[in-house]
Amino acid sequence: MPNVTAQGQTFECETGANLRRVLLDNDIALYNGSANLINCRGIGSCGTCAVMIEGEVSAANWKDRGRRSLPPHTPERPLRLACQTTVLGDITVTKYDQFWGQGQTLVW
């Protein structure tokens, strides 16, 4: 079972688990500010669950690539949408500031 490290915690999940669900199930503060209330609940349309990931995850699907190609995101930055990402191995997840997580300041 893969290890996920996020917000100073490390926990296990099933291989193939949805990253958004894994983070929320482990009480990780995935959303910045009011994005906690105003988000698409995992369908890949809002972009507020954007995170930086190191480790083995699924390739970005069309929803992930499409949403991150629109402002305020940029396709050049290697963020991923947690709701559209499958955990395949050990990973470390990092969250940045601003509403959509597109900022440059580390939150966790």
Side-chain angles (χ1 to χ4, degrees):
M1 291 190 12
N3 286 315
V4 175
T5 301
Q7 202 173 7
Q9 302 175 48
T10 300
F11 40 86
E12 290 184 332
C13 73
E14 296 289 330
T15 300
N18 174 270
L19 181 56
R20 175 184 180 272
R21 190 74 267 148
V22 169
L23 295 173
L24 293 177
D25 287 349
N26 284 280
D27 297 321
I28 301 300
L30 178 58
Y31 298 103
N32 294 337
S34 60
N36 189 44
L37 300 172
I38 305 169
N39 65 75
C40 69
R41 305 294 187 245
I43 63 171
S45 62
C46 74
T48 59
C49 66
V51 292
M52 187 78 66
I53 304 168
E54 294 178 39
E56 189 178 1
V57 295
S58 59
N61 65 20
W62 67 272
K63 285 183 179 182
D64 191 330
R65 289 188 313 271
R67 179 59 191 96
R68 289 183 301 106
S69 71
L70 300 171
H73 290 292
T74 174
E76 289 79 31
R77 188 139 182 241
L79 296 175
R80 292 290 303 277
L81 299 185
C83 70
Q84 300 299 309
T85 302
T86 301
V87 180
L88 301 176
D90 293 348
I91 63 171
T92 299
V93 183
T94 304
K95 182 73 177 180
Y96 289 91
D97 69 331
Q98 298 189 15
F99 186 81
W100 284 274
Q102 83 281 9
Q104 299 296 320
T105 302
L106 187 67
V107 174
W108 49 259

